[in-house]
Amino acid sequence: MPDSQKLRDPRQPGAPIIPRASWDLGPYNRWTFQNVRDLTPTTRVWRGIGQPSNLGEAPDDIENIRFNHDGKEWTVGEVLAETYTDGFLVMHRGRVVLEIYMNGMRRHTTHLSQSVAKSVTAAASAGLIERGILDPQAPVTEYLPELEKTAYAGAKLQHVLDMTSGVLFDETYTAEDSHMAKVDVACGWKEPKDPSWPLTMWEFIQTLTEKECEHGESFRYRSIETDVLAFAMQRATGKALADIVSENLWIPLGAEEDAYFTVDRGGYALADGGFNATLRDYGRFAQMITNNGSFNGRQIVPASFIERTRKGGNNAIFGPDYRVALPKGAYHNQFWIDDVDRPALMARGVFGQLLYMDQESQFAAVKLSSWPDFLNIARTRLTFAAVRAIRTAIA
């Protein structure tokens, strides 16, 4: 079973050394996703000094829920074992109905969530938008004039939020010379394969000078868009991203533990995929989004931002590659939309990270994983089916 493929702790005498070039890949990620601070520089997202917010509990027999998927009957428990699960949390009407830790993970353990960081960053930007510090309709170059010489010239901040800029960006995770390979170096995760590659994210963004389509024409998943958003947030506020997330999300949520971002060689927090937090704190974030931005007795993210996000998806520009897993899906404000006719929101990351947030059913789920591969459509579809089956059974 996948859960038996735990790595020996490399800090122990005689344990195998994790290769620097592949620390974030399987099978090493079975250990590294829960121990990122031991592998690369990070910056703290402070939780504040208050008591953690309360998560009510109403345990339910979720693991034994049965459902059919692609002609086979599954239980939720079987899916969790099959899909390299590290932590799984289900909330209904604000109460925890299931909380499971696997692969050595514990309640206090922080876990890398990859591109879930994008949704966290966007949620932290929402208050800045409401207060007029950021304007989604303003050109990106109003905040970052240095990008006038790049393909971001003419793009609006909303294009970046929706990943609909026309900037050419190769997201191929396994190609050795793709833009993503260069991001791995620029963000500080890997050593450069070519001495000419940029060594910080800001330097890398300024190399993106080609367009592949007109701004606003189509959705094409570009991780770098989140970093452009984050640099605009930092320029507009004069604060670091980790502090923005702390002040706008982590402290008001009443988080149980500090979170953290990985940082590049210049100290920039990786907005597109470097966020780490505990399972229960991801649950607090997911419940807040499910509650239309309200949690812990306060409005944390403006309800108008959540409503625009839920209702603003456009399936028409959602290409065929994305419809394999989400036939009626969309993307808006750095969140995935499960179905434009019933707009549950999702935050997703490679290697099996998922936050699922359905306001209509007052249902939220968090799955932290360490798949051996970046993407796996079979596991993705199976996970979606399991989460929807839970929602149907308890809502």
Side-chain angles (χ1 to χ4, degrees):
M1 298 296 288
D3 198 46
S4 67
Q5 298 179 12
K6 278 177 31 179
L7 244 61
R8 288 179 61 196
D9 188 334
R11 296 169 299 194
Q12 297 299 322
I17 296 174
I18 292 176
R20 180 66 186 172
S22 50
W23 69 262
D24 58 327
L25 307 178
Y28 309 112
N29 61 4
R30 298 248 74 195
W31 184 85
T32 59
F33 280 12
Q34 299 179 44
N35 296 277
V36 169
R37 280 177 291 188
D38 294 340
L39 297 151
T40 191
T42 61
T43 187
R44 180 177 71 158
V45 177
W46 187 43
R47 63 165 296 276
I49 60 174
Q51 290 295 314
S53 56
N54 181 53
L55 290 181
E57 298 185 15
D60 204 344
D61 188 20
I62 304 296
E63 288 182 89
N64 290 318
I65 291 174
R66 294 184 175 275
F67 65 98
N68 288 296
H69 174 68
D70 285 351
K72 179 180 176 180
E73 186 176 70
W74 293 85
T75 67
V76 170
E78 289 169 343
V79 173
L80 297 181
E82 184 69 23
T83 56
Y84 297 81
T85 304
D86 298 326
F88 189 61
L89 182 80
V90 177
M91 299 186 69
H92 185 225
R93 296 177 180 171
R95 295 183 296 179
V96 175
V97 295
L98 180 68
E99 182 177 5
I100 290 179
Y101 297 96
M102 304 171 72
N103 187 36
M105 190 170 175
R106 298 290 183 265
R107 177 168 168 166
H108 67 275
T109 306
T110 52
H111 194 289
L112 180 66
S113 59
Q114 299 284 355
S115 290
V116 169
K118 296 176 169 67
S119 302
V120 171
T121 299
S125 79
L128 305 182
I129 292 170
E130 183 178 66
R131 297 195 296 273
I133 298 170
L134 286 177
D135 178 3
Q137 299 307 314
V140 169
T141 52
E142 180 173 315
Y143 303 99
L144 305 170
E146 299 93 331
L147 301 191
E148 192 66 53
K149 297 178 181 179
T150 73
Y152 280 104
K156 298 178 180 179
L157 203 62
Q158 189 64 56
H159 291 139
V160 168
L161 278 159
D162 293 343
M163 295 195 186
T164 56
S165 84
V167 175
L168 177 64
F169 182 83
D170 181 2
E171 186 83 14
T172 307
Y173 301 112
T174 54
E176 292 188 358
D177 60 350
S178 69
H179 286 124
M180 277 307 300
K182 294 178 181 179
V183 165
D184 274 349
V185 171
C187 77
W189 286 17
K190 306 290 175 68
E191 295 302 318
K193 301 171 185 176
D194 183 321
S196 69
W197 285 10
L199 295 180
T200 68
M201 293 296 289
W202 179 239
E203 291 171 332
F204 172 73
I205 288 170
Q206 294 179 79
T207 70
L208 299 176
T209 58
E210 297 182 64
K211 287 175 66 176
E212 58 181 336
C213 63
E214 293 304 310
H215 300 312
E217 183 175 287
S218 67
F219 165 73
R220 304 185 191 187
Y221 195 78
R222 305 174 183 86
S223 285
I224 200 65
E225 309 275 62
T226 319
D227 298 297
V228 174
L229 169 65
F231 277 117
M233 292 164 64
Q234 294 187 154
R235 185 67 63 81
T237 62
K239 297 179 179 179
L241 178 63
D243 293 333
I244 296 172
V245 172
S246 173
E247 293 169 11
N248 289 273
L249 295 177
W250 236 237
I251 292 175
L253 277 171
E256 201 164 318
E257 303 281 351
D258 291 341
Y260 61 94
F261 280 100
T262 66
V263 294
D264 71 8
R265 295 166 181 84
Y268 162 74
L270 184 64
D272 76 58
F275 189 71
N276 300 255
T278 65
L279 180 67
R280 289 173 72 88
D281 285 342
Y282 284 121
R284 288 177 168 89
F285 176 83
Q287 184 62 43
M288 179 268 294
I289 298 295
T290 303
N291 286 349
N292 228 21
S294 175
F295 188 77
N296 197 26
R298 60 195 296 185
Q299 191 71 39
I300 296 173
V301 171
S304 57
F305 179 87
I306 306 294
E307 284 299 311
R308 287 196 305 271
T309 303
R310 292 176 67 243
K311 298 177 180 178
N314 184 352
N315 182 252
I317 62 171
F318 199 64
D321 290 346
Y322 310 109
R323 294 182 186 181
V324 175
L326 298 171
K328 299 181 70 176
Y331 192 90
H332 189 43
N333 285 339
Q334 301 277 312
F335 284 84
W336 297 87
I337 298 167
D338 185 7
D339 183 335
V340 292
D341 293 332
R342 180 180 175 162
L345 297 178
M346 294 188 291
R348 299 168 60 195
V350 289
F351 299 103
Q353 322 316 319
L354 174 67
L355 275 59
Y356 191 97
M357 299 151 285
D358 185 2
Q359 184 185 49
E360 183 177 318
S361 299
Q362 276 297 291
F363 170 84
V366 179
K367 188 175 189 297
L368 302 173
S369 312
S370 43
W371 293 356
D373 36 15
F374 289 95
L375 303 171
N376 186 297
I377 189 61
R379 286 195 204 100
T380 297
R381 294 181 64 252
L382 178 60
T383 299
F384 287 171
V387 168
R388 293 173 187 137
I390 299 170
R391 179 184 64 183
T392 299
I394 69 174

